[in-house]
Amino acid sequence: MTIWLCVTPERREKTRRIMEALHAGGRGATRICEGSPPRGEPFVVWGHLWLSERIVPQAIADKTPWWLIDNGYHLPANGEASGYYAITFRGMTPALLADCDRNRLPVRMSEWKAPADGYVLLALPGAGTGQMMGMDMAAWSRTIEKRIRRQTDRPIIIREKGCKRPLADDLAGAHVLVTHSSKAAVAAVLAGVPVIVEPTSAAAPMGSTKLADIERPRRPEGREAWWASLMAQQFTLAEMRAGLALPMLRKVA
């Protein structure tokens, strides 16, 4: 089975760099294409906009296998040559894998914060998040503050997408973080701040998906295994070239 590695015309330099790294480690199992792959053929695409908007809806309708490349959960590459890229199958949600290497990218994890006074930190998503899958982040953002207010009288601190304030500063006084699928939720879990997210969030297994839990948010056990699972699904370009990514693509599928 050939996996097509799609170069997004609107971001050619960035996506070609990623896809060439995957292709180098593909050992003949991949092919690079400019733009759309042949219909019905498995493919890898980068990001939520542009090319993804054109080819993902058809793949969903056809039940074609596809993988999404996005910024990593730790040290995100942001389209550059250094840092990590996360890979998920048929959407934004990472698989929850067992028995992953817990020594890969070790990060010190804080203890869960005990229930106390504090504000609700609301991290708003980017407008284009999930757009290729029919999600409407603008509609979610318009209503979420009112829905939070129905559940709590705590102050609400809003963190816009692209906010320049250090996230750690905003998390320091937070009782809970609420977001859709932002990777800010992953950072919150690592910092010991409970989260309420949508099911598509990478942090969903370590939080709640119900705003009704806002005063008593979940603090699940098993964060180390969850974190190791995320780390197993993100790669540097060098790791892609070394062939580490392709077996994971197949595993999560």
Side-chain angles (χ1 to χ4, degrees):
M1 177 185 70
T2 297
I3 299 175
W4 292 84
L5 309 176
C6 304
V7 175
T8 302
E10 295 87 347
R11 289 293 184 271
R12 179 172 281 104
E13 180 180 358
K14 177 186 293 187
T15 53
R16 179 162 281 279
R17 179 192 296 133
I18 299 168
M19 299 309 172
E20 285 180 349
L22 273 176
H23 183 62
R27 309 295 190 262
T30 63
R31 290 182 65 180
I32 295 176
C33 63
E34 289 276 341
S36 303
R39 183 172 175 180
E41 294 286 318
F43 64 84
V44 179
V45 68
W46 168 85
H48 296 222
L49 301 175
W50 300 301
L51 180 61
S52 291
E53 294 176 278
R54 297 193 291 272
I55 65 176
V56 166
Q58 188 66 63
I60 292 173
D62 293 345
K63 298 183 179 179
T64 298
W66 60 281
W67 293 262
L68 175 70
I69 294 182
D70 207 342
N71 284 320
Y73 309 105
H74 177 60
L75 300 177
N78 295 313
E80 301 302 323
S82 61
Y84 288 85
Y85 292 95
I87 304 178
T88 50
F89 182 59
R90 281 182 170 157
M92 301 156 50
T93 312
L96 191 56
L97 305 173
D99 302 323
C100 294
D101 181 5
R102 298 196 183 192
N103 294 315
R104 176 173 163 81
L105 300 177
V107 173
R108 185 170 181 175
M109 199 174 299
S110 299
E111 295 295 326
W112 282 121
K113 278 189 174 183
D117 293 338
Y119 48 77
V120 176
L121 179 58
L122 172 57
L124 296 178
T129 301
Q131 193 163 301
M132 77 288 194
M133 298 171 63
M135 297 181 184
D136 188 343
M137 292 299 114
W140 187 89
S141 297
R142 281 195 302 270
T143 63
I144 186 61
E145 190 174 357
K146 290 181 180 178
R147 290 191 286 129
I148 291 172
R149 185 52 67 212
R150 295 190 196 111
Q151 304 294 334
T152 183
D153 293 327
R154 293 175 185 266
I156 300 173
I157 302 296
I158 297 177
R159 183 179 177 86
E160 302 278 353
K161 178 71 173 178
C163 178
K164 300 302 182 184
R165 293 191 311 272
L167 177 57
D169 291 355
D170 281 350
L171 289 172
H175 161 71
V176 66
L177 177 137
V178 176
T179 191
H180 191 285
S181 301
S182 169
K183 291 183 175 68
V186 173
V189 172
L190 295 178
V193 177
V195 298
I196 297 178
V197 295
E198 295 296 324
T200 46
S201 170
M206 290 296 109
S208 175
T209 57
K210 299 176 182 179
L211 285 174
D213 295 337
I214 205 161
E215 284 299 326
R216 296 178 178 82
R218 295 180 67 238
R219 295 169 174 82
E221 297 180 356
R223 284 188 298 163
E224 292 79 9
W226 160 81
W227 180 240
S229 175
L230 293 188
M231 293 303 92
Q233 296 172 79
Q234 68 165 28
F235 305 91
T236 64
L237 295 184
E239 289 173 337
M240 292 180 191
R241 285 190 288 268
L244 299 183
L246 195 62
M248 185 55 64
L249 262 69
R250 290 173 171 148
K251 184 174 183 178
V252 296

